[in-house]
Amino acid sequence: MNNLTVMILSCVGAYLLGSIPTAVWIGKAFFGIDVREHGSGNAGATNTLRTLGKPAGFTVLFIDFLKGLLATSLVIFNHSLVSETEAYFNMQMLLGAMAVLGHVYPIFAGFKGGKGIATLIGVITAMSGWLALCCFVTFVIIVSVSKYISLGSMVSAILSPLYVGLIYEWHQPTFLYFCITIAVLVVYTHRANIGRLRAGNENKFSLNKKPTIETQKK
């Protein structure tokens, strides 16, 4: 199998991993509910947490994180890139982008998915532990102060290019552009949240809240 074929198959594999609609499948399998028809209509961990409760929400969060981590790790099959640090890093970015694309537009769920934040965290963790830590700390601080998960996600994404510049001393321009693109995507997928934040009716995060709908496990 030639190198180009391996790269194409890796990208397809990353997209398919990202396309696993965790929130949709867990909601339907265990609660008989499509989370996209409740709450914010988003097929992600936050809406699952708010709609179906903590066990389901944190399960979706963990699996969606793994999707990004595993998809980016498919780079190991591209043996020709192992000795080329920059090419290896660029391939990781491409695979990560395919995984996030799969989560936002999943082929297994009618191309209607989530915002890709948990999957993106998995991608970033696979590529740069320091960047993942900086974004996570930023997210925790913003959510702790504001109680808005959407705001924490957007601020973390917007600051990620700055963190990349500081961590790599501005020597990773491709990674910098990648983070700028991701930041734009995150803000775009949160455009409804931005509207609710401006209107003052965005849902606040609290682990003590009960699920918004009464459900019975199957």
Side-chain angles (χ1 to χ4, degrees):
M1 192 177 297
N2 62 48
N3 296 334
L4 179 59
T5 302
V6 173
M7 292 175 67
I8 293 173
L9 289 177
S10 296
C11 288
V12 172
Y15 171 77
L16 293 177
L17 274 171
S19 286
I20 296 172
T22 317
V24 175
W25 286 357
I26 286 180
K28 289 183 176 181
F30 295 101
F31 300 93
I33 285 172
D34 187 337
V35 296
R36 296 173 298 179
E37 297 174 357
H38 300 273
S40 66
N42 180 53
T46 301
N47 194 39
T48 303
L49 175 66
R50 187 177 295 121
T51 304
L52 303 178
K54 287 181 279 190
F58 286 118
T59 299
V60 170
L61 176 66
F62 178 68
I63 295 176
D64 284 351
F65 169 83
L66 282 182
K67 283 160 44 177
L69 190 70
L70 293 175
T72 309
S73 299
L74 290 177
V75 70
I76 63 174
F77 294 106
N78 295 265
H79 303 295
S80 63
L81 303 179
V82 173
S83 60
E84 301 176 33
T85 303
E86 186 172 352
Y88 186 87
F89 204 54
N90 290 343
M91 187 64 188
Q92 281 186 303
M93 283 185 272
L94 177 58
L95 293 173
M98 294 301 295
V100 174
L101 182 67
H103 183 88
V104 178
Y105 302 107
I107 192 173
F108 301 127
F111 301 99
K112 184 182 178 183
K115 294 183 174 72
I117 299 301
T119 300
L120 178 59
I121 294 171
V123 171
I124 295 300
T125 300
M127 295 183 64
S128 172
W130 281 113
L131 177 59
L133 179 61
C134 289
C135 290
F136 176 73
V137 170
T138 301
F139 174 82
V140 170
I141 291 173
I142 297 299
V143 174
S144 297
V145 173
S146 69
K147 305 301 180 185
Y148 294 125
I149 288 181
S150 58
L151 185 60
S153 299
M154 288 188 286
V155 172
S156 298
I158 290 169
L159 290 179
S160 64
L162 174 62
Y163 294 147
V164 167
L166 295 175
I167 292 169
Y168 296 99
E169 299 181 344
W170 308 100
H171 292 154
Q172 285 288 352
T174 306
F175 197 19
L176 180 67
Y177 300 145
F178 173 78
C179 287
I180 291 173
T181 302
I182 289 298
V184 172
L185 176 64
V186 169
V187 172
Y188 174 76
T189 58
H190 282 80
R191 59 194 182 281
N193 302 83
I194 294 173
R196 290 193 293 268
L197 284 167
R198 295 180 65 181
N201 55 15
E202 174 74 322
N203 290 311
K204 289 191 174 183
F205 171 72
S206 174
L207 285 174
N208 297 321
K209 283 185 179 179
K210 292 183 178 181
T212 56
I213 58 175
E214 294 295 328
T215 59
Q216 293 291 330
K217 289 185 178 181
K218 286 186 173 182

